[in-house]
Amino acid sequence: MSLTVHTQQRGDVVVVSVAGELDMATAPQLQDQITDLLDKGRSRLVFDLSDVSFCDSTGLSVFVRAKNSSDEAGGVVRLAAPQRGVLRILEVSGLVEVLHTYPTVEQAVAGDPTPASS
């Protein structure tokens, strides 16, 4: 399956909508999009994962790298609306807290303190 990535500016936050399977074959596509955003000074990122059906360790590492780069630039990375399987991977890996995961895109954009795992 392929991966599609779309971006939308919402105030000072860029919502990056990801759809499909995020794995070794497709992660570079998302990484390129993130690099482009950061190069343009857009370091406040919300990843809408509602249409991501699968995410492996390569996908997780893309989000960790995005967080680290965004932190260095004074920004923030938040994950939003992961499907149950993807949320489980984030929980098992311990990244659900580190990557600030939210149940909805709106809560992630607002920085609502309610985590997705509650």
Side-chain angles (χ1 to χ4, degrees), residues 4 8 11 14 17 23 33 40 48 50 64 76-77 87 92 104:
T4 59
Q8 177 186 31
V14 177
S17 299
D23 57 22
Q33 184 73 40
K40 292 177 179 175
D48 177 358
S50 59
V64 170
V76 65
V77 166
L87 179 59
V92 168
T104 69

Side-chain angles (χ1 to χ4, degrees), residues 83-105:
Q83 292 184 23
R84 182 171 297 209
V86 174
L87 179 59
R88 182 72 182 134
I89 291 166
L90 290 164
E91 289 172 340
V92 168
S93 66
L95 292 175
V96 73
E97 305 280 330
V98 173
L99 292 172
H100 305 290
T101 306
Y102 297 81
T104 69
V105 172

Side-chain angles (χ1 to χ4, degrees), residues 27-86:
Q29 179 184 344
L30 179 58
Q31 184 63 58
D32 289 346
Q33 184 73 40
I34 295 166
T35 300
D36 185 53
L37 288 167
L38 291 169
D39 286 348
K40 292 177 179 175
R42 294 186 173 92
S43 60
R44 296 179 57 79
L45 307 174
V46 167
F47 292 93
D48 177 358
L49 305 181
S50 59
D51 292 324
V52 174
S53 57
F54 175 79
C55 181
D56 70 4
S57 61
T58 312
L60 293 179
S61 68
V62 169
F63 295 126
V64 170
R65 281 195 302 274
K67 180 192 182 321
N68 292 340
S69 296
S70 184
D71 286 353
E72 288 175 12
V76 65
V77 166
R78 298 180 184 123
L79 305 184
Q83 292 184 23
R84 182 171 297 209
V86 174

